[in-house]
Amino acid sequence: MTSSAHELAIDVRDLEHGYPDGSSALDGLSLQVRPGERVALLGPNGAGKTTLALHLNGILLAQHGSVTIDGLPVVEPNLAEVRRRLQLVFAKADDQLFMPTVRDDVAFGPANHGMRGADLDAAVDGALAAAGAAALAKRAPHHLSTGEKRRAALATVLAMNPGTLVLDEPTAGLDPAGRNELVALLKTLPQTLVVITHDIPFALQLCHRSVIIDEGRSWADAPTADLLADRATLGRHRLALPFGFDPNVLAQATSIDRSR
Amino acid sequence: MHAPDGFLGLGTAVATGAISFGVVGASLRMARTRLADRQIPLTGVSAAFIFAAQLVNFPVAAGTTGHLLGGALAAILLGPTVGALVVTVVVVVQALVFADGGLSALGYNTLNMAIVTSFGGYAAFVAVRKILPRNASGVATAAGLAAGISVVLASMALSIEWLFGATAPVSFDTVFAAMVGVHLLIGVGEGVITGLLVASVLAARPDLVYGARHLDPAALRGRASLSTRGLVIAALAVTLVVGTIVSQFAGSDPDGLERVAEDLELTADQAGDARGPFADYAVDGLDNEQLSLAIAAGAGIVIVGAIGYGLVATRREPSAV
Amino acid sequence: MGAEHSHALFHHGHSPVHHLPAHTKLVGTLVFVAAVAVTPRQELWAFAVYAAVAVFAMAVARLPVRFVARRALLVLPFLGVAALVPFIGGGETTDVMGLALSTEGLWAASGIVCKALLGTAASIVLAGTTEQADLVRGLARLRVPPLLVMITATMLRYLETVAGELRRARTAMQSRGHNPRWLWQATPLANSAGATFVRSYERGERVHHAMAARGFTGTPPDLNPQPAAGRHWIRAIALPGITVAVAIAALAS
């Protein structure tokens, strides 16, 4: 099976996931993302956003419903190929940076796929540069700041050259400057982006489209600016705008890339 | 217990090195069949936990502190093969990165602190568990007792190695009595902390306790009811009894045996060759060679038997995950 | 061991010893330790040469005296035990300042002290001049099984993370007035350690997910160890080479 431009980058249909204790994390969730889109998944804690993300590259497999990446079903035999096409950046960067140095960590993925020597070096350097982490190459991951860790984690997945990136809470623990740098960096990436967040200004800055997920289902799917103007819907799903934040004013003031 | 370079003779260092090498190699393979591609992350992070747990100073008495050795704990939480592997990595890293424990002493340090504590501790755990109720309290109590026993086993192992690789004219009896005596006390702390720690893991994620994975999850529900003070008192009582027995052995008047030994011309040659790999210090000072040997042989059988039992127990139990 | 473990022994610097590839230093250290181990303890002159070699290596590595001394404290308990040996040892006695001490015991004590101190000195030079990541790389280069190397690397990677969790739990307890003095008051500490184990295990599972997502199937990838030129080997082996010559001479004498 090959991917082509008209296929959906992500196609999730009626996905259900229950935990062994009987509680349900996903309850018939559907989501479609076109190639090149930048989509924010908004929702309160425990809404099922991270569980959804774990289904996208097959860490969890669908108990009911289906997940398809670039037209490729996420099932056991396709996992290696799915993971070449879609990569996750975890909420906890520490879990993703497990090698002695950042450079080793970025090299880990391509090396697993058989890359060696000069090719490997080029792939590593390219990913480090794209993630703004070139200066961190020789550092040990546990000596990095939160923002540095996140950039290094981004480099490790970019080295896999995926078509789609899923970022789980990328702004958690970042200071405002680090947050803005991350937005600028993510805007330079050519990848299809799915961002899981409850940082509403961040969603507005980065993503034209947002989806509200709560109780394992999708409740609203609309342009981010429109969604943020609908305070009633936001309130129902525990999504509060920061104090003094007026999306209407900001949408005009900031240069949101309407094309995506 | 991190012995420095030169603490035991060269032959003992090499021999224990060979044993440790073999057991660690076998553990690597056995753990790999159980954990598959999860082996590296799970073993590595667990080793980080055991190392970190050793850094925590626990109160002992009147403000003095001790710390965990963690071999039995690792074996009970992760299984003896993964446990032995985890503590081996800790011991090797302590020698290489922290200069704690000699590099040429790695053979016996690994044997005593990782292999004997993990396999011996797990054997004790399986044995004790059989006579205790099959619930959280039973598992936690068995873990505590096993942890205490594992420390004593490790001290016995070091004493026996002294029998072969003594570097000083101190008799086996003296070393044995001193080592076991001190470690009976250390074992009390080790046991109490391990028991409490396993109880808290059982309360949160009973599925993560390897030593309890064959038990009915329903029986594990409900927090282990352990009285910490009771545990300490019980452990001290056990220590007192065992300590008395050991001291009777080591300190008993060897007149009768000595005469037998003389008759049989077994009395030690006082001028042992210091260079020999099996320097005959075992019998210097006290002339009760046979008794020494009996204690040593008994302790050796206990340790080897415990390791073997630990291995068999691992194999026999259903290997869930 | 004790709290001083919480950070590794590396001493940042740019000495010639720091710049040697890690695996050459590992081999050099092992050769040195082996030479010390085989030397008969009566050959005091040999130990004097070894000590000079160790001090020279520390000087070249520019390791501060206080740094070395603090680390050497770890062997103190064993030296204490060794110091008892002349008093409890049997056999012939020698008069030392009016005390009849076991001759054999004096030799034994000096042997244990010499070898323990020299071994510790070698370990301090190795660990003090080699970053953890490079040590791991050196082990890989020396053909230590890749599985073991990568478990070791993962352990070192997460040690500070896990130790930090435990430390913070302890601080939180102390800040709420829990300051245990007796063993039976240790329950909260043991509980926090138990919670840390659960978190660590779950972290291990997440790390596994991250590895699997990047194509890991259980075989560790090549860590690209730094190659060593002949001159590196010559430098790394030069000093331990002297000790080997001395050890052979001492064995022959």
Side-chain angles (χ1 to χ4, degrees):
Chain A
M1 233 179 281
T2 57
S3 67
S4 55
H6 65 269
E7 266 173 327
L8 288 168
I10 296 173
D11 189 0
V12 177
R13 291 188 190 265
D14 301 323
L15 186 62
E16 291 179 15
H17 182 82
Y19 287 117
D21 64 358
S23 64
S24 163
L26 295 176
D27 187 14
L29 186 137
S30 293
L31 173 73
Q32 281 75 41
V33 178
R34 289 185 305 280
E37 264 193 305
R38 290 205 294 255
V39 181
L41 304 184
L42 304 172
N45 293 331
K49 296 167 295 177
T50 300
T51 311
L52 170 64
L54 296 177
H55 279 87
L56 294 179
N57 75 343
I59 289 171
L60 296 174
L61 293 175
Q63 294 167 344
H64 182 268
S66 68
V67 181
T68 312
I69 303 301
D70 289 347
L72 203 66
V74 180
V75 290
E76 192 74 49
N78 291 341
L79 284 188
E81 186 55 33
V82 164
R83 286 166 179 169
R84 273 173 211 261
R85 290 163 189 242
L86 183 143
Q87 280 288 323
L88 286 181
V89 180
F90 290 3
K92 290 181 177 167
D94 263 326
D95 300 338
Q96 207 151 15
L97 300 168
F98 42 77
M99 296 290 275
T101 66
V102 172
R103 191 178 181 87
D104 288 336
D105 223 309
V106 178
F108 180 86
N112 277 326
H113 285 148
M115 215 185 257
R116 292 285 181 275
D119 288 349
L120 183 61
D121 286 343
V124 171
D125 289 334
L128 284 169
L136 310 175
K138 288 188 173 173
R139 304 265 302 275
H142 52 275
H143 291 146
L144 303 178
S145 71
T146 308
E148 289 171 332
K149 276 182 190 165
R150 202 142 287 155
R151 288 208 298 279
L154 187 61
T156 66
V157 300
L158 287 178
M160 301 292 290
N161 203 18
T164 304
L165 273 181
V166 180
L167 296 102
D168 193 356
E169 299 291 358
T171 59
L174 290 188
D175 56 24
R179 204 178 136 284
N180 290 340
E181 284 165 18
L182 184 68
V183 172
L185 180 68
L186 292 177
K187 280 189 172 178
T188 66
L189 297 180
Q191 271 88 0
T192 309
L193 281 186
V194 174
V195 181
I196 295 169
T197 188
H198 37 220
D199 181 343
I200 287 173
F202 176 73
L204 185 64
Q205 271 177 292
L206 185 67
C207 303
H208 173 59
R209 178 184 161 203
S210 286
V211 177
I212 293 183
I213 291 178
D214 196 4
E215 293 170 354
R217 264 172 291 170
S218 135
W219 293 84
D221 185 345
T224 308
D226 298 353
L227 210 53
L228 298 197
D230 183 356
R231 298 215 168 198
T233 305
L234 291 180
R236 264 200 303 281
H237 300 290
R238 293 184 56 84
L239 289 163
L241 296 177
F243 178 75
F245 184 88
D246 185 343
N248 296 317
V249 175
L250 277 167
Q252 289 152 11
T254 55
S255 57
I256 300 169
D257 183 359
R258 285 271 172 181
S259 67
R260 298 182 72 167
Chain B
M1 238 186 143
H2 291 76
D5 290 289
F7 189 71
L8 293 176
L10 194 59
T12 310
V14 173
T16 51
I19 296 171
S20 298
F21 191 81
V23 176
V24 171
S27 296
L28 261 180
R29 276 193 301 280
M30 282 167 72
R32 195 164 175 70
T33 45
R34 184 160 76 89
L35 297 175
D37 62 334
R38 301 187 309 156
Q39 181 178 18
I40 288 171
L42 287 185
T43 314
V45 180
S46 300
F49 167 75
I50 293 292
F51 198 147
Q54 290 188 354
L55 300 177
V56 176
N57 284 320
F58 290 102
V60 179
T64 57
T65 60
H67 65 82
L68 211 59
L69 296 172
L73 175 69
I76 291 159
L77 291 176
L78 304 161
T81 49
V82 180
L85 215 50
V86 158
V87 188
T88 300
V89 169
V90 171
V91 170
V92 170
V93 165
Q94 282 167 346
L96 270 181
V97 184
F98 298 86
D100 192 8
L103 286 171
S104 71
L106 265 181
Y108 41 93
N109 280 340
T110 304
L111 184 61
N112 301 339
M113 288 191 286
I115 296 170
V116 169
T117 55
S118 293
F119 287 103
Y122 196 73
F125 172 73
V126 172
V128 174
R129 212 184 50 197
K130 285 189 172 145
I131 54 165
L132 289 172
R134 296 167 71 84
N135 57 25
S137 306
V139 171
T141 309
L145 281 169
I149 292 169
S150 76
V151 174
V152 176
L153 285 177
S155 72
M156 281 160 66
L158 187 58
S159 313
I160 292 171
E161 287 150 18
W162 184 262
L163 184 64
F164 292 104
T167 48
V170 180
S171 73
F172 166 77
D173 312 48
T174 311
V175 170
F176 187 85
M179 286 296 293
V180 173
V182 168
H183 284 85
L184 273 168
L185 286 175
I186 294 176
V188 173
E190 180 88 5
V192 169
I193 299 299
T194 303
L196 293 170
L197 208 159
V198 169
S200 86
V201 178
L202 278 172
R205 286 281 307 267
D207 56 313
L208 291 193
V209 181
Y210 179 94
R213 74 207 188 296
H214 66 290
L215 291 180
D216 179 12
L220 291 174
R221 218 160 283 151
R223 207 179 164 84
S225 54
L226 288 181
S227 150
T228 312
R229 197 182 282 259
L231 211 59
V232 173
I233 292 168
L236 279 173
V238 172
T239 303
L240 205 65
V241 172
V242 180
T244 312
I245 296 170
V246 169
S247 66
Q248 287 301 313
F249 261 117
S252 66
D253 190 345
D255 271 353
L257 277 168
E258 190 183 339
R259 204 170 308 121
V260 177
E262 274 167 6
D263 290 347
L264 297 172
E265 293 178 20
L266 281 173
T267 323
D269 175 11
Q270 292 279 339
D273 181 3
R275 285 192 197 182
F278 296 98
D280 227 354
Y281 290 131
V283 288
D284 272 5
L286 294 171
D287 293 330
N288 47 353
E289 182 177 30
Q290 285 192 328
L291 189 58
S292 300
L293 287 177
I295 296 171
I301 289 167
V302 167
I303 289 168
V304 173
I307 290 176
Y309 186 57
L311 274 170
V312 172
T314 327
R315 279 281 159 102
R316 208 179 280 160
E317 287 177 7
S319 56
V321 196
Chain C
M1 29 196 308
E4 63 269 40
H5 251 150
S6 50
H7 47 82
L9 194 44
F10 182 68
H11 179 78
H12 189 77
H14 295 283
S15 78
V17 188
H18 282 80
H19 288 302
L20 285 175
H23 62 290
T24 63
K25 277 186 273 187
L26 268 168
V27 170
T29 309
L30 291 175
V31 169
F32 179 86
V33 169
V36 171
V38 299
T39 304
R41 63 189 184 207
Q42 292 89 337
E43 311 296 334
L44 290 179
W45 66 274
F47 291 112
V49 177
Y50 300 154
V53 165
V55 169
F56 181 73
M58 285 172 182
V60 174
R62 293 187 214 117
L63 295 178
V65 175
R66 282 189 57 181
F67 170 85
V68 174
R70 211 176 57 233
R71 274 292 142 181
L73 287 181
L74 284 177
V75 285
L76 262 190
F78 282 90
L79 300 192
V81 173
L84 287 178
V85 170
F87 296 94
I88 58 175
E92 289 172 33
T93 58
T94 308
D95 269 0
V96 179
M97 291 184 289
L99 292 168
L101 300 181
S102 155
T103 315
E104 199 43 44
L106 283 170
W107 278 116
S110 84
I112 292 175
V113 170
C114 286
K115 291 185 177 186
L117 282 179
L118 288 167
T120 307
S123 299
I124 290 172
V125 173
L126 173 69
T129 62
T130 320
E131 295 218 48
Q132 289 178 27
D134 292 329
L135 264 178
V136 170
R137 221 172 288 250
L139 290 175
R141 182 87 189 174
L142 293 177
R143 303 280 164 91
V144 173
L147 203 57
L148 211 51
V149 173
M150 200 146 156
I151 292 172
T152 307
T154 313
M155 192 223 106
L156 283 168
R157 160 65 183 91
Y158 288 105
L159 176 58
E160 275 184 39
T161 314
V162 178
E165 272 180 30
L166 276 169
R167 239 190 334 265
R168 282 191 296 278
R170 173 138 220 188
T171 309
M173 266 175 233
Q174 281 170 342
S175 69
R176 281 185 278 156
H178 179 72
N179 217 349
R181 287 171 55 78
W182 300 88
L183 186 56
W184 51 81
Q185 298 169 329
T187 317
L189 267 175
N191 283 344
S192 79
T196 305
F197 170 75
V198 172
R199 276 201 300 275
S200 301
Y201 195 92
E202 289 170 344
R203 182 190 294 282
E205 289 177 323
R206 288 194 303 271
V207 171
H208 170 244
H209 292 326
M211 288 178 164
R214 283 191 267 151
F216 180 70
T217 53
T219 315
D222 196 351
L223 277 168
N224 274 337
Q226 64 184 124
R231 64 194 160 83
H232 291 139
W233 277 115
I234 292 169
R235 276 187 214 158
I237 293 298
L239 288 176
I242 297 174
T243 61
V244 171
V246 170
I248 292 169
L251 279 170
S253 71

Short mmCIF file of all heavy atoms in Angstrom, two decimals, chain A residues 15 34 66 72 77 84 86 108 137 208-209 226 258:
data_model
loop_
_atom_site.label_atom_id
_atom_site.label_comp_id
_atom_site.label_asym_id
_atom_site.label_seq_id
_atom_site.Cartn_x
_atom_site.Cartn_y
_atom_site.Cartn_z
N LEU A 15 -13.49 4.88 17.30
CA LEU A 15 -12.49 4.22 18.15
C LEU A 15 -12.99 4.12 19.59
O LEU A 15 -13.46 5.09 20.17
CB LEU A 15 -11.18 5.01 18.11
CG LEU A 15 -9.99 4.38 18.82
CD1 LEU A 15 -9.63 3.03 18.21
CD2 LEU A 15 -8.80 5.32 18.78
N ARG A 34 -6.21 15.95 7.26
CA ARG A 34 -5.66 15.93 5.90
C ARG A 34 -4.16 16.19 5.95
O ARG A 34 -3.66 16.84 6.88
CB ARG A 34 -6.35 17.00 5.05
CG ARG A 34 -7.79 16.69 4.71
CD ARG A 34 -8.38 17.73 3.77
NE ARG A 34 -8.25 19.09 4.28
CZ ARG A 34 -9.06 19.62 5.19
NH1 ARG A 34 -10.05 18.91 5.71
NH2 ARG A 34 -8.88 20.85 5.61
N SER A 66 -11.50 1.75 13.96
CA SER A 66 -10.28 1.59 13.16
C SER A 66 -9.44 2.87 13.20
O SER A 66 -9.95 3.97 13.43
CB SER A 66 -10.65 1.27 11.71
OG SER A 66 -11.27 2.40 11.13
N LEU A 72 -2.96 3.45 5.67
CA LEU A 72 -2.42 2.18 6.18
C LEU A 72 -3.09 1.86 7.52
O LEU A 72 -2.94 2.63 8.48
CB LEU A 72 -0.91 2.35 6.37
CG LEU A 72 0.01 1.17 6.38
CD1 LEU A 72 0.04 0.48 5.03
CD2 LEU A 72 1.41 1.65 6.76
N PRO A 77 0.87 -6.13 11.79
CA PRO A 77 1.87 -6.29 10.73
C PRO A 77 2.34 -4.96 10.13
O PRO A 77 3.42 -4.91 9.54
CB PRO A 77 1.12 -7.10 9.65
CG PRO A 77 -0.15 -7.55 10.26
CD PRO A 77 -0.43 -6.70 11.42
N ARG A 84 7.11 4.74 10.82
CA ARG A 84 7.93 5.58 9.97
C ARG A 84 7.17 6.82 9.54
O ARG A 84 7.74 7.84 9.23
CB ARG A 84 8.30 4.82 8.69
CG ARG A 84 9.54 3.98 8.79
CD ARG A 84 9.65 3.18 7.51
NE ARG A 84 10.29 1.91 7.75
CZ ARG A 84 11.59 1.71 7.49
NH1 ARG A 84 12.32 2.65 7.00
NH2 ARG A 84 12.11 0.53 7.73
N LEU A 86 4.31 8.23 11.17
CA LEU A 86 3.75 9.06 12.23
C LEU A 86 4.57 8.89 13.50
O LEU A 86 4.84 7.77 13.91
CB LEU A 86 2.29 8.69 12.50
CG LEU A 86 1.57 9.54 13.53
CD1 LEU A 86 0.13 9.77 13.13
CD2 LEU A 86 1.63 8.93 14.92
N PHE A 108 19.35 7.08 17.43
CA PHE A 108 18.78 5.77 17.80
C PHE A 108 17.78 5.26 16.76
O PHE A 108 17.86 4.12 16.31
CB PHE A 108 18.11 5.90 19.17
CG PHE A 108 17.48 4.64 19.69
CD1 PHE A 108 18.23 3.72 20.41
CD2 PHE A 108 16.13 4.38 19.49
CE1 PHE A 108 17.66 2.56 20.91
CE2 PHE A 108 15.55 3.22 19.98
CZ PHE A 108 16.32 2.31 20.68
N ALA A 137 23.76 18.68 21.11
CA ALA A 137 24.13 17.34 20.64
C ALA A 137 24.93 16.53 21.66
O ALA A 137 24.65 15.36 21.88
CB ALA A 137 24.89 17.44 19.33
N HIS A 208 -4.96 26.33 12.80
CA HIS A 208 -6.16 26.94 12.26
C HIS A 208 -7.40 26.16 12.74
O HIS A 208 -8.44 26.74 12.99
CB HIS A 208 -6.09 26.94 10.73
CG HIS A 208 -7.36 27.38 10.09
ND1 HIS A 208 -7.92 28.62 10.33
CD2 HIS A 208 -8.20 26.76 9.22
CE1 HIS A 208 -9.03 28.75 9.64
NE2 HIS A 208 -9.25 27.62 8.96
N ARG A 209 -7.24 24.86 12.87
CA ARG A 209 -8.38 24.02 13.21
C ARG A 209 -8.21 23.41 14.60
O ARG A 209 -7.10 23.01 14.97
CB ARG A 209 -8.49 22.90 12.16
CG ARG A 209 -9.60 21.90 12.38
CD ARG A 209 -9.51 20.80 11.33
NE ARG A 209 -10.24 19.62 11.76
CZ ARG A 209 -10.00 18.40 11.30
NH1 ARG A 209 -9.05 18.19 10.40
NH2 ARG A 209 -10.71 17.38 11.74
N ASP A 226 -13.03 30.46 15.77
CA ASP A 226 -14.48 30.36 15.95
C ASP A 226 -14.81 29.61 17.24
O ASP A 226 -15.69 29.99 18.01
CB ASP A 226 -15.13 29.62 14.77
CG ASP A 226 -14.94 30.37 13.46
OD1 ASP A 226 -14.41 31.52 13.53
OD2 ASP A 226 -15.28 29.81 12.41
N ARG A 258 -3.90 31.37 7.92
CA ARG A 258 -5.25 30.90 7.58
C ARG A 258 -5.23 29.79 6.54
O ARG A 258 -6.24 29.14 6.31
CB ARG A 258 -6.08 32.07 7.05
CG ARG A 258 -6.53 33.03 8.14
CD ARG A 258 -7.87 32.59 8.72
NE ARG A 258 -8.21 33.40 9.88
CZ ARG A 258 -9.32 33.20 10.59
NH1 ARG A 258 -10.17 32.25 10.27
NH2 ARG A 258 -9.57 33.94 11.63
#
